[in-house]
């Protein structure tokens, strides 16, 4: 083949691209590595970045030669021996360039044969025969005339370029790739990048049919039975360069080819499809091939980056020193703490064993996780799985494993990884761990801990006017520190009995302070109270910046501003809780981090989720809502004080009453609470969901395997502590029986012998729907019933009925309707909308009686009533698209409404997947696709296409729409300079990002359509006779 291959040069219109070596990884350039003058390239970079995100899942990060060789998208064909297994995976071409086939013509015309005498078979045989000619016979053959002319005529021919057989044009998709040029591809390059399968197959046949080549008589019969003109349709004359000595016969061939040139495109499509049908090669879509090419190019860039610094690989914990420089530049980290160095150099880390490490808050745990992640990506070239905000190989705040349904979900995820993969390394970190031995056994991990804290933390208790310092060496656990020296007026003493004003004014505005309050309402009240007694001097501190914060809050609220924040922000004070929208919280957090705001009054949720450090942390009371504070919660809250690099000291002050003194002293001296599994306690979200997924994913499908899996869970480790009445075997059997009775699983009994019986399980259609839709099993039968009932009389005159069906069940228990508002909203509904309520069993008379406080005799389903109320909120929100007006109308916190909207959008998507698995609910599919979009974006319908673009929120979408940019096409073709002048407050960088994102989305839609076309033209894998044909060929 090498000899024949070297005689052929193909001219192919292809984009220039660097071919990657095997086993390398893409590394994105950092901001520091970009040249200042590269702003003009930003658009291409953003498109490339978006493509990277899209293609990241195509190949694993760990790229090995075998894996890459097996990948159909990254095949490179050289001039040596060809691996037929690889060639069988070659992608097919579904057309030529930008030519179009006339849909009214018969696609196959006269060529309707799939037999051995088919047109493509003849072309293949001719090409193979030519390729086997000795190199020293300097000749080339017109494939159509090889057996029609004498040897002397053949020796006079010299074909230097063979086209399509020579000239192949890539499709429009490839031609439009920016920055690419057409190049001539030599034999050693990617010859099969854009060839139809009819061309690719002959290379395979070349390898597999050496014995057949000797049988010339058979081939001669095949060639003589074919039409001379037919063959020439595949040979456009302008692609064949012939010397002046061409004889008359070859001239006739060329003329015949020219006459039939107009039909060559049609014939090419026919031949390609016929070849595909005959060859039965695995088909890979053109778009996937291009994605893989792009990924390969990026992998090549990554390898060059690594190779260029190969001598420098390792100075920074096996990472290039460039990583260390970037940490110093962007995070100001020039040297690691001693514990971090010790942890990163542990044998368990070096040997990639599982590890748990635990330190106090602010000790620098996250940095260790980041370095471990970079080691995996850059050095080991392996995938990294991220769980929630913390990242490592598989990494989480492990104390959360003991927190309700979140803990059950985390435990299930880790247990599956441990059961299915013996090579995945798990790194767990936490600030609050006690029974670490159980976690070690569960994760099969080693343990590292340290009490290091970069900033000293001093803990205080305040009782009346006296402040005590917590001292573990003292007899009662505390020692006197000082008396508060602050002059209180009688009015102030009544308003502020806990002396909060005195405590916060000791640190603000020059330092930051957090005040943790028991409830959301208390947060707002405390913020306002403190501002009433602060001096006017506080208004002057960073006055301009605070005005900017207020202005930005108004912008994101469409002109609305919380009256409490309007009064407190000028003093540098704000409240922070779930009643704020996510945009408001983000803006306030940024203002606090930059020192514009110096005091937050907040709930305990801030301690667990947001990194907002403070010089002083004050706990307003030893309660979270009405429950007494736990040791873990207390540690998390006070851990916010004195963060490294910001403060030199940190203080925490817990305010308490005399009646709580004994409980508080026990709180500060007792050990941390133990961490227990919630896998069985959270029955439907825990063990049942686990078993359904195990069987659905075929991880474990029989009773013995499932029991074995359960023994390896955190619950299995703690079964002796948690199980008093039943054994783990009994729990397993009961759970499987429950799922079977509920119709989610089906049991099969297999008799291995007369004495031994094995119970296997497989998932039912309802079970698969629940599994694919991630429906809480507590509600799957209710959802099925509601959807089934909806089919009997689905009201489509408005969205209300559909919204009701997608209102999350788990939020219903939190619903506490205001009956007057409920009745008023009901009265404003149209007759069709009131009919929805009637179908659900909620009447106007019922709501009227509830609003007036009258007794209700008729029994009404409370859950349906409460769920419909939430549906009213969502329905009003979709109509008005303004959280503020809906918040006022229903007297609900805007943050709660936003959470309700987010939950509904998520649940709508889940219901859609649920319906896709059940044929009887086909009618819901198209309806739920549109509803999910509406709930996700919650804007007027005309703005939804614009909202799909990265960087475009509701306010920006309105601006763009008003300026005439009403579709994705408009944005994709926009001029950034014009966009900057047209849209207020739009930077050049933002404009380029919006345009680049729009182009990417448009490109994705085009790819999706292309794949749909390819799917339509593809021969079904179960086509009658396909198996037989494949067998005959073998």
């Amino acid at each position: 083949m090498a000899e024949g291959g070297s005689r052929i040069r193909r001219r192919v219109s292809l984009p220039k691209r660097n071919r990657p070596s095997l086993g390398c990884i893409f590394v994105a350039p950092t901001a520091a590595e970009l040249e200042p003058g590269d702003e003009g390239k930003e658009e291409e970079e953003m498109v490339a970045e978006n493509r990277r995100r899209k293609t990241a899942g195509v190949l694993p990060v760990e790229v090995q030669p075998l894996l890459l060789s097996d990948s159909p998208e990254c095949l490179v064909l050289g001039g040596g021996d060809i691996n037929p297994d690889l060639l069988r995976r070659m992608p097919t071409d579904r057309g030529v360039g930008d030519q179009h086939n006339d849909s009214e013509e018969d696609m196959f015309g006269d060529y309707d044969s799939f037999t051995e005498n088919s047109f493509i078979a003849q072309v293949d045989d001719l090409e193979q025969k030519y390729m086997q000619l000795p190199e020293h016979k300097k000749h080339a053959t017109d494939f159509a005339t090889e057996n029609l002319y004498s040897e002397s005529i053949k020796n006079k021919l010299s074909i230097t370029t063979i086209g399509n057989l020579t000239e192949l044009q890539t499709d429009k998709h490839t031609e439009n790739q920016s920055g690419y040029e057409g190049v001539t591809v030599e034999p050693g390059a990617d010859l099969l990048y854009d060839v139809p399968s009819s061309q690719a197959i002959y290379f395979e046949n070349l390898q597999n049919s050496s014995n057949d080549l000797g049988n010339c008589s058979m081939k001669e019969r095949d060639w003589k039975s074919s039409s001379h003109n037919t063959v020439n349709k595949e040979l456009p004359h302008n692609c064949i360069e012939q010397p002046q000595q061409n004889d008359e016969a070859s001239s006739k061939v060329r003329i015949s080819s020219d006459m039939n040139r107009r039909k060559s495109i049609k014939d090419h499509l026919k031949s390609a499809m016929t070849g595909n049908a005959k060859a039965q090669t695995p088909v890979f879509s053109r778009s996937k091939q291009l994605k893989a090419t792009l990924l390969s190019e990026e992998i090549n860039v990554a390898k060059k980056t690594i190779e260029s610094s190969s001598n420098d690989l390792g100075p920074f914990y096996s990472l290039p020193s460039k990583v260390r420089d970037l940490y110093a530049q962007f995070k100001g980290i020039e040297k690691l703490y001693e514990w971090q160095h010790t942890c990163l150099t542990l044998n368990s880390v070096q040997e990639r064993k599982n590890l748990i490490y635990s330190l106090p808050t602010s000790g620098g745990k996250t940095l260790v996780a980041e370095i471990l992640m970079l080691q995996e990506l850059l050095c080991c070239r392996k995938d990294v799985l991220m769980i929630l905000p913390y990242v490592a190989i598989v990494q989480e705040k492990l104390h959360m494993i003991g927190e309700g349904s979140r803990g059950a979900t985390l435990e299930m995820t880790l247990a599956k990884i441990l059961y299915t993969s013996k090579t995945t390394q798990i790194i767990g970190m936490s600030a609050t761990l006690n029974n670490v031995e159980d976690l070690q056994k569960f994760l099969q991990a080693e343990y590292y801990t340290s009490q290091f804290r970069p900033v000293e933390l001093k803990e205080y208790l305040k009782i009346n006017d006296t402040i005590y310092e917590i001292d573990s060496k003292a007899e009662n656990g505390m020692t006197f520190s000082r008396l508060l020296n602050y002059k209180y007026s009688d009015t102030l003493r009544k308003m502020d009995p806990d002396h909060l004003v005195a405590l916060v004014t000791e640190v603000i505005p020059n330092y930051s302070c957090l005040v943790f309050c028991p409830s959301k309402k208390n947060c707002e009240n405390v913020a306002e109270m403190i501002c009433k007694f602060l001096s006017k001097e506080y208004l002057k501190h960073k006055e301009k910046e605070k005005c900017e914060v207020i202005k930005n809050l108004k912008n994101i609220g469409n002109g609305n501003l919380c009256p409490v924040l309007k009064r407190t922000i000028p003093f540098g004070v704000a409240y922070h809780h779930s009643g704020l929208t996510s945009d408001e919280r983000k803006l306030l957090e940024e203002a606090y981090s930059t020192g514009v705001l110096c005091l937050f009054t907040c709930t305990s949720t801030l301690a667990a989720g947001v990194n907002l450090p403070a010089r002083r942390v004050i706990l307003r009371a030893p309660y979270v809502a009405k429950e007494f504070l736990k040791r873990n919660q207390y540690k998390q809250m006070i851990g916010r004080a004195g963060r490294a690099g910001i403060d030199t000291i940190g203080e925490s002050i817990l305010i308490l009453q005399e009646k709580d003194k004994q409980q508080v002293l026990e709180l500060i001296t007792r050990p941390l609470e133990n961490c227990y599994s919630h896998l069985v306690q959270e029955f439907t979200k825990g063990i049942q969901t686990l078993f359904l997924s195990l069987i659905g994913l075929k991880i474990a499908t029989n009773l013995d395997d499932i029991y074995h899996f359960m023994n390896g869970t955190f619950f299995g480790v703690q079964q002796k502590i948690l199980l008093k009445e039943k054994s783990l075997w009994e729990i397993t059997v009961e759970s499987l029986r429950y799922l079977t009775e509920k119709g989610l699983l089906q049991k099969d009994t297999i008799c291995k012998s007369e004495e031994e019986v094995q119970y296997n399980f497989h998932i039912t259609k309802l079970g698969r729907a629940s599994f694919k839709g991630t429906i809480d099993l507590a509600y799957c039968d209710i959802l099925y019933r509601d959807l089934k009932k909806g089919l009997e009389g689905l009201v489509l005159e408005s969205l209300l009925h559909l919204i009701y069906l997608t209102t999350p069940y788990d939020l219903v228990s939190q619903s506490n309707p205001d009956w007057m508002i409920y009745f008023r909203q009901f009265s404003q509904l149209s007759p069709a909308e009131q009919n929805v309520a009637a179908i659900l069993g909620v009447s106007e008379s019922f709501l009227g009686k509830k609003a007036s406080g009258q007794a209700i005799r008729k029994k009404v389903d409370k859950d349906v009533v409460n769920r419909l109320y939430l549906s009213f909120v969502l329905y009003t929100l979709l109509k008005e698209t303004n959280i503020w007006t809906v918040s006022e109308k229903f007297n609900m916190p805007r943050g709660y409404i936003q959470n309700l909207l987010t939950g509904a959008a998520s649940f709508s998507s889940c219901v859609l997947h649920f319906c896709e698995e059940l044929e009887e609910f086909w009618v819901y599919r198209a309806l739920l696709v549109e509803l999910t979009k509406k709930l996700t974006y919650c804007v007027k319908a005309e703005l939804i296409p614009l909202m799909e673009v990265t960087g475009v929120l509701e306010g920006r979408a309105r601006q763009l729409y008003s300026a005439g940019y009403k579709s994705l096409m408009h944005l994709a073709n926009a001029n950034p300079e014009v966009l900057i002048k047209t849209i207020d407050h739009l930077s050049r960088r933002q404009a380029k990002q919006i345009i680049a994102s729009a182009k990417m989305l448009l490109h994705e839609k085009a790819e999706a359509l292309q794949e749909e076309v390819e799917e339509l033209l593809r021969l079904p894998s179960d086509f009658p006779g396909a198996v037989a044909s494949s067998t005959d060929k073998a």
Side-chain angles (χ1 to χ4, degrees):
M1 172 189 172
E3 294 177 353
S6 64
R7 304 288 301 161
I8 295 181
R9 302 175 67 194
R10 286 181 178 251
R11 185 175 300 279
V12 185
S13 176
L14 283 177
K16 266 185 187 173
R17 59 197 185 279
N18 296 324
R19 281 286 163 191
S21 299
L22 302 178
C24 51
I25 184 170
F26 169 71
V27 182
T30 63
E33 295 170 321
L34 298 176
E35 295 295 331
D38 285 345
E39 187 171 304
K41 300 177 184 176
E42 283 178 1
E43 184 173 330
E44 285 119 350
E45 291 169 359
M46 289 168 187
V47 173
E49 178 63 31
N50 284 325
R51 284 192 188 128
R52 276 194 286 278
R53 280 194 220 111
K54 192 178 175 193
T55 59
V58 176
L59 289 174
V61 177
E62 180 183 6
V63 184
Q64 299 175 354
L66 177 61
L67 293 177
L68 205 55
S69 299
D70 285 344
S71 170
E73 295 92 346
C74 301
L75 182 74
V76 178
L77 179 63
D81 292 337
I82 302 174
N83 183 343
D85 291 333
L86 300 183
L87 286 167
R88 290 193 189 99
R89 300 188 187 91
M90 283 305 301
T92 61
D93 195 327
R94 292 298 178 183
V96 181
D98 51 2
Q99 303 295 327
H100 299 277
N101 188 66
D102 188 349
S103 60
E104 295 180 2
E105 296 184 42
D106 177 11
M107 293 285 287
F108 285 92
D110 298 327
Y111 314 120
D112 56 355
S113 172
F114 289 93
T115 65
E116 288 299 317
N117 292 324
S118 69
F119 167 64
I120 282 298
Q122 298 163 13
V123 175
D124 283 347
D125 289 342
L126 267 177
E127 290 180 338
Q128 290 177 27
K129 200 166 187 179
Y130 170 78
M131 291 293 289
Q132 291 299 317
L133 291 175
E135 185 176 28
H136 67 270
K137 295 179 183 179
K138 295 184 178 178
H139 73 277
T141 305
D142 185 332
F143 293 146
T145 60
E146 180 168 353
N147 286 323
L148 301 178
Y149 297 96
S150 66
E151 187 70 17
S152 60
I153 294 175
K154 288 195 290 180
N155 288 334
K156 290 179 182 179
L157 295 174
S158 177
I159 300 177
T160 57
T161 306
I162 296 178
N164 200 49
L165 315 164
T166 58
E167 187 81 8
L168 298 173
Q169 294 183 354
T170 56
D171 57 17
K172 283 184 178 180
H173 177 82
T174 306
E175 290 171 355
N176 290 335
Q177 297 293 321
S178 60
Y180 291 156
E181 303 168 9
V183 295
T184 300
V185 180
E186 296 298 327
D190 191 1
L191 286 171
L192 301 184
Y193 178 77
D194 194 29
V195 298
S197 64
S198 55
Q199 301 299 307
I201 293 304
Y202 89 79
F203 283 105
E204 178 184 354
N205 291 338
L206 192 119
Q207 180 75 12
N208 294 333
S209 59
S210 58
N211 294 331
D212 297 336
L213 289 174
N215 191 355
C216 297
S217 59
M218 177 65 74
K219 290 191 175 180
E220 286 173 2
R221 278 203 306 275
D222 289 341
W223 284 113
K224 288 173 184 175
S225 66
S226 68
S227 167
H228 188 149
N229 289 341
T230 300
V231 177
N232 279 319
K233 289 178 185 178
E234 290 287 43
L235 295 167
H237 78 95
N238 62 335
C239 298
I240 303 181
E241 301 172 11
Q242 297 186 358
Q244 293 178 0
Q245 303 99 310
N246 277 359
D247 58 17
E248 184 180 349
S250 61
S251 298
K252 289 180 181 179
V253 173
R254 187 172 64 253
I255 293 168
S256 176
S257 175
D258 190 38
M259 291 172 60
N260 291 285
R261 184 181 176 191
R262 292 177 60 188
K263 291 186 178 181
S264 64
I265 299 302
K266 173 184 172 183
D267 291 338
H268 175 82
L269 180 59
K270 293 174 184 177
S271 65
M273 295 179 69
T274 310
N276 293 342
K278 180 190 172 193
Q280 287 298 300
T281 53
V283 180
F284 301 95
S285 75
R286 176 82 174 126
S287 57
K288 288 182 180 177
Q289 184 182 5
L290 290 170
K291 289 176 192 173
T293 303
L294 182 64
L295 184 63
S296 298
E297 182 179 348
E298 292 165 344
I299 288 173
N300 191 44
V301 172
K303 187 178 181 189
K304 285 183 178 178
T305 303
I306 291 173
E307 287 175 349
S308 65
S309 59
S310 58
N311 295 331
D312 189 32
L313 189 66
F316 185 67
Y317 301 98
S318 301
L319 297 170
S321 57
K322 182 69 175 176
V323 176
R324 178 185 57 207
D325 297 341
L326 291 172
Y327 269 115
Q329 181 180 348
F330 291 103
K331 292 193 173 184
I333 299 172
E334 296 183 356
K335 186 179 179 182
L336 269 62
Y337 297 131
E338 187 177 338
W339 83 262
Q340 292 171 328
H341 172 77
T342 303
C343 186
L344 287 168
T345 53
L346 289 171
N347 288 336
S348 55
V349 173
Q350 303 298 319
E351 296 168 10
R352 295 194 77 257
K353 293 180 180 178
N354 295 347
L355 174 72
I356 301 169
Y357 63 99
S358 173
L359 280 97
T361 303
S362 82
K365 297 183 296 296
T366 305
L367 178 60
V368 171
E370 288 176 4
I371 292 173
L372 288 169
M373 180 185 73
L374 289 171
Q375 285 178 353
E376 289 296 305
L377 290 171
L378 301 182
C379 303
C380 301
R381 301 176 193 173
K382 301 207 173 188
D383 293 326
V384 175
L385 177 64
M386 299 181 287
I387 301 182
L388 292 176
Y390 293 91
V391 290
I393 292 73
V394 175
Q395 120 87 52
E396 177 50 80
K397 288 176 115 183
L398 284 179
H399 63 271
M400 289 174 63
I401 210 167
E403 295 181 9
S405 61
R406 284 193 305 174
T409 303
L410 178 59
E411 181 181 347
M412 288 188 287
T413 303
L414 293 173
K416 287 176 193 172
I417 291 168
L418 288 165
Y419 188 83
T420 57
S421 173
K422 303 304 179 187
T423 58
T424 302
Q425 183 186 17
I426 299 175
I427 306 290
M429 71 176 185
S430 180
T432 49
L433 282 178
N434 190 32
N435 55 331
V436 72
E437 297 83 5
D438 290 347
L439 283 168
Q440 274 186 268
K441 189 174 180 182
F442 166 47
L443 296 176
Q444 302 156 35
E446 296 190 18
Y447 180 58
Y448 176 82
T449 186
S450 170
Q451 293 305 311
F452 171 81
R453 205 176 192 281
V455 177
E456 183 186 4
L457 173 62
K458 292 188 175 182
E459 300 175 46
Y460 297 97
L461 301 177
K462 176 190 166 296
I463 305 173
N464 300 323
D465 291 343
T466 309
I467 295 179
Y468 300 90
E469 183 175 357
I470 295 176
D471 184 359
S472 57
K473 297 176 182 177
E475 186 177 345
N476 60 353
M478 61 181 189
T479 57
F480 173 81
S481 177
R482 63 189 173 96
L483 289 172
L484 270 178
N485 185 20
Y486 190 88
K487 294 181 180 179
Y488 266 72
S489 63
D490 292 338
T491 306
L492 179 55
R493 195 176 297 279
K494 288 179 182 178
M495 294 286 291
D496 182 23
D498 295 326
H499 309 96
L500 283 172
V501 173
L503 293 173
V504 301
T505 51
E506 289 178 350
V507 289
I508 66 169
N510 296 321
Y511 298 99
S512 56
C513 183
L514 294 175
V515 179
F516 284 101
C517 304
S519 66
K520 291 193 286 284
K521 188 62 182 173
N522 192 240
C523 287
E524 298 176 32
N525 292 340
V526 168
E528 281 204 281
M529 182 274 294
I530 290 173
C531 290
K532 283 180 182 177
F533 296 101
L534 291 178
S535 69
K536 302 296 181 184
E537 292 297 315
Y538 286 90
L539 296 171
K540 298 176 184 178
H541 183 76
K542 298 192 176 183
E543 188 174 1
K544 289 182 180 178
E545 291 90 337
K546 288 185 283 194
C547 289
E548 190 66 23
V549 172
I550 291 175
K551 179 183 173 183
N552 292 337
L553 282 170
K554 282 185 177 179
N555 288 338
I556 62 175
N558 297 318
N560 297 288
L561 177 64
C562 170
V564 176
L565 292 176
K566 185 179 180 180
R567 290 190 290 268
T568 62
I569 287 176
F571 288 93
V573 179
Y575 64 87
H576 185 289
H577 58 59
S578 61
L580 295 167
T581 65
S582 57
D583 290 333
E584 286 175 319
R585 284 200 300 272
K586 183 180 178 182
L587 204 153
L588 292 173
E589 286 165 12
E590 287 175 356
Y592 179 87
S593 297
T594 55
V596 177
L597 298 178
C598 55
L599 174 64
F600 264 174
T601 58
C602 49
T603 54
S604 60
T605 51
L606 183 140
V610 186
N611 183 16
L612 293 177
R615 173 66 172 269
R616 177 175 288 179
V617 170
I618 300 171
L619 280 67
R620 172 80 172 73
Y623 292 90
V624 174
K626 294 180 180 180
E627 292 186 11
F628 198 80
L629 205 60
K630 294 178 182 177
R631 176 71 172 168
N632 287 348
Q633 293 171 323
Y634 171 73
K635 279 291 188 181
Q636 281 184 341
M637 290 182 191
I638 67 172
R640 302 296 117 189
R643 301 301 291 235
I646 299 172
D647 293 312
T648 55
I649 191 171
E651 301 172 337
S652 71
I653 301 174
L654 171 57
I655 300 172
L656 64 144
Q657 308 299 321
E658 280 288 351
K659 64 181 179 65
D660 296 322
K661 183 178 177 180
Q662 191 57 42
Q663 263 186 296
V664 168
L665 289 175
E666 291 174 7
L667 168 73
I668 61 177
T669 54
R670 76 163 72 110
L672 296 168
E673 287 83 6
N674 283 340
C675 179
Y676 294 113
S677 170
H678 281 69
L679 198 59
V680 173
Q681 189 176 333
E682 294 288 330
F683 198 53
T684 57
K685 287 186 178 179
I687 193 169
Q688 287 185 9
T689 299
L690 174 62
F691 286 179
L692 195 64
S693 66
L694 287 179
I695 295 165
L697 293 170
K698 295 185 167 69
I699 294 174
T701 55
N702 63 64
L703 182 57
D704 291 337
D705 288 348
I706 293 169
Y707 176 68
H708 176 64
F709 181 96
M710 281 299 295
N711 274 294
T713 62
F714 190 43
F715 181 82
V717 171
Q718 296 183 324
Q719 57 181 296
K720 291 181 180 178
I721 303 170
L722 299 176
L723 294 178
K724 302 296 183 185
E725 299 176 359
K726 298 178 181 177
S727 66
L728 183 59
W729 174 266
E730 290 172 320
I731 292 284
T732 303
V733 171
E734 282 184 13
S735 299
L736 288 169
R737 184 187 299 124
Y738 179 85
L739 290 170
T740 305
E741 291 171 355
K742 208 167 183 178
L744 302 173
L745 293 179
Q746 188 168 323
K747 184 168 72 171
D748 303 319
T749 304
I750 299 174
C751 296
K752 287 189 170 184
S753 63
E754 292 183 2
E755 298 179 356
E756 188 179 359
V757 177
Q758 180 175 296
Y759 295 104
N760 281 11
F761 295 87
H762 69 265
I763 200 165
T764 64
K765 286 186 177 180
L766 179 61
R768 185 166 298 281
S770 302
F771 167 56
K772 289 285 186 72
T774 61
I775 306 294
D776 186 338
L777 299 187
Y779 307 118
C780 66
D781 50 349
I782 303 172
L783 174 63
Y784 181 84
R785 187 178 65 240
D786 286 347
L787 291 171
K788 193 79 172 173
K789 187 178 179 182
L791 291 177
E792 298 172 8
L794 189 62
V795 179
L796 294 177
E797 290 184 49
S798 74
L799 288 172
L800 182 59
H801 202 167
L802 272 178
I803 289 171
Y804 173 82
L805 292 173
T806 56
T807 300
Y809 292 101
D810 56 350
L811 295 180
V812 172
S813 59
Q814 303 173 23
S815 175
N816 188 21
D818 183 314
W819 297 107
M820 283 301 298
I821 294 174
Y822 203 162
F823 180 71
R824 192 183 307 124
Q825 291 298 316
F826 189 96
S827 303
Q828 295 172 6
L829 296 177
S830 67
E833 291 163 345
Q834 288 189 358
N835 185 37
V836 174
I839 291 171
L840 297 172
V842 181
S843 64
E844 186 174 12
S845 61
F846 168 79
L847 295 177
K849 289 179 179 178
K850 291 291 287 184
S852 60
Q854 298 180 35
I856 307 293
R857 294 181 181 178
K858 186 179 178 181
K859 188 176 181 181
V860 178
D861 191 328
K862 182 183 176 182
D863 288 340
V864 172
V865 174
N866 290 359
R867 193 178 182 211
L868 183 61
Y869 184 67
L870 295 180
S871 303
F872 279 9
V873 176
L874 289 168
Y875 183 50
T876 307
L877 186 58
L878 285 188
K879 287 195 295 184
E880 301 187 12
T881 70
N882 189 320
I883 286 180
W884 285 84
T885 57
V886 177
S887 173
E888 293 172 7
K889 192 171 285 187
F890 286 88
N891 193 27
M892 287 180 170
R894 54 197 179 279
Y896 174 81
I897 292 174
Q898 188 180 56
N899 291 337
L900 173 63
L901 180 65
T902 304
S906 176
F907 188 61
S908 177
S909 178
C910 291
V911 176
L912 170 60
H913 291 303
F914 182 87
C915 293
E916 284 174 342
E917 295 296 322
L918 297 171
E919 188 61 34
E920 59 195 296
F921 294 142
W922 63 270
V923 71
Y924 287 113
R925 295 172 195 170
L927 297 170
L928 290 174
V929 168
E930 292 305 312
L931 180 62
T932 303
K933 277 188 181 180
K934 289 179 181 293
L935 290 168
T936 300
Y937 297 111
C938 192
V939 292
K940 299 293 183 184
E942 61 267 18
L943 298 181
I944 288 178
L946 301 178
M947 293 280 286
E948 293 178 359
V949 177
T950 303
V952 177
L953 299 178
E954 184 180 354
R956 185 72 76 205
R958 283 205 202 94
Q959 284 181 311
L960 291 167
Y961 192 86
S962 300
Y965 299 96
K966 299 183 178 181
S967 70
L968 210 55
M969 289 77 79
H970 287 153
L971 282 181
N973 291 286
N975 184 320
E977 299 303 322
V978 175
L979 212 57
I980 293 166
K981 295 174 183 177
T982 310
I983 307 299
D984 293 334
H985 310 298
L986 183 69
S987 68
R988 181 173 281 99
R989 184 178 182 83
Q990 287 172 324
K992 288 182 176 180
Q993 182 185 14
I994 288 170
I995 293 169
S997 178
K999 285 181 178 178
M1000 184 212 47
L1001 281 172
L1002 212 57
H1003 180 69
E1004 287 177 358
K1005 290 178 186 289
E1007 280 187 341
L1009 290 173
Q1010 170 108 14
E1011 289 179 7
E1012 193 174 339
V1013 170
E1014 292 171 359
E1015 186 66 34
L1016 288 172
L1017 293 175
R1018 187 176 301 160
L1019 187 73
S1021 59
D1022 58 350
F1023 186 77
V1027 177
S1029 175
S1030 176
T1031 306
D1032 293 342
K1033 185 177 176 182

